[in-house]
Amino acid sequence: ETGVTQSPTHLIKTRGQQVTLRCSSQSGHNTVSWYQQALGQGPQFIFQYYREEENGRGNFPPRFSGLQFPNYSSELNVNALELDDSALYLCASRSRDQETQYFGPGTRLLVL
Amino acid sequence: TQLLEQSPQFLSIQEGENLTVYCNSSSVFSSLQWYRQEPGEGPVLLVTVVTGGEVKKLKRLTFQFGDARKDSSLHITAAQPGDTGLYLCAGAFGSGTYKYIFGTGTRLKVLA
């Protein structure tokens, strides 16, 4: 148990729809990162939030957006879903001054 | 662009055998983490190595960080079926606002 929770656990959407995924950080962690993990691959960094502001972004288009709230929980929003967006979406939290991050169980998204 | 290459990609061995997984990059990392991931779940942290040349042991698992902090290895002694899973390395770079890149993973299967 890492103390990081994600919801929902599974989700099925159709192409063109929008989706919101949620993450609750481990207590005391003020930094959250989101990753996309396609089947058989390692996680790919989407973006990172610190104190409600995005402070790092990977190679993902603007239709991937996020929010971090004052309690450090976070959302990942994906607009105009595409078939290739089908993946396991992971969030990870940490304290800003620590390098070790802890992952939630992930949300598996299937886009039909 | 930072890149982490993991090898081998797949490994199937008999119970009791030893194995080594490698994680290599041309980039210098401030730290490197090893995770194990079960299907449909988030990665679970095994260890973080920070200092060049550092060796850490976790029961039958031995982790080493290269002297130049560009590479790492994971050695498992007397593998057991419970060691089966996807092993991921992740390198941290930056300062304060750390970013992470993941290797592609090594899928290990230990046969009884």
Side-chain angles (χ1 to χ4, degrees), chain A residues 37-52:
Chain A
Q37 186 177 24
L39 203 59
Q41 298 182 19
Q44 298 291 314
F45 174 68
I46 302 175
F47 44 55
Q48 177 174 273
Y49 277 81
Y50 169 65
R51 288 192 173 181
E52 303 175 57

Side-chain angles (χ1 to χ4, degrees), chain B residues 19-31:
Chain B
L19 66 116
T20 302
V21 177
Y22 299 94
C23 184
N24 295 296
S25 177
S26 58
S27 304
V28 176
F29 295 105
S30 58
S31 70

Side-chain angles (χ1 to χ4, degrees), chain A:
Chain A
E1 285 291 330
T2 63
V4 181
T5 60
Q6 289 186 244
S7 62
T9 55
H10 297 83
L11 203 49
I12 299 176
K13 291 283 188 179
T14 55
R15 197 169 45 182
Q17 285 189 310
Q18 178 265 343
V19 69
T20 297
L21 310 181
R22 294 179 175 83
C23 171
S24 289
S25 304
Q26 186 181 113
S27 178
H29 287 182
N30 52 22
T31 301
V32 64
S33 301
W34 284 91
Y35 295 83
Q36 180 194 67
Q37 186 177 24
L39 203 59
Q41 298 182 19
Q44 298 291 314
F45 174 68
I46 302 175
F47 44 55
Q48 177 174 273
Y49 277 81
Y50 169 65
R51 288 192 173 181
E52 303 175 57
E53 289 192 7
E54 183 183 300
N55 70 350
R57 190 177 183 93
N59 190 26
F60 280 81
R63 59 189 186 83
F64 285 78
S65 63
L67 281 174
Q68 187 181 31
F69 300 99
N71 65 355
Y72 303 134
S73 65
S74 177
E75 285 182 358
L76 163 65
N77 300 290
V78 187
N79 294 322
L81 284 166
E82 300 177 0
L83 298 180
D84 285 349
D85 295 334
S86 295
L88 182 68
Y89 287 85
L90 298 160
C91 78
S93 76
R94 63 179 178 88
S95 296
R96 185 173 187 266
D97 57 349
Q98 293 183 356
E99 297 186 36
T100 299
Q101 54 181 348
Y102 298 89
F103 282 86
T107 293
R108 182 157 297 281
L109 172 66
L110 179 60
V111 182
L112 301 175

Side-chain angles (χ1 to χ4, degrees), chain A residues 36-44 86-90 108, chain B residues 4 6 8-10 37-41 85-88 102-108:
Chain A
Q36 180 194 67
Q37 186 177 24
L39 203 59
Q41 298 182 19
Q44 298 291 314
S86 295
L88 182 68
Y89 287 85
L90 298 160
R108 182 157 297 281
Chain B
L4 260 181
Q6 254 183 273
Q9 278 189 290
F10 300 96
Q37 186 178 22
E38 304 293 337
E41 298 181 7
L86 178 68
Y87 289 82
L88 295 161
F102 277 80
T104 49
T106 295
R107 190 162 295 283
L108 171 66

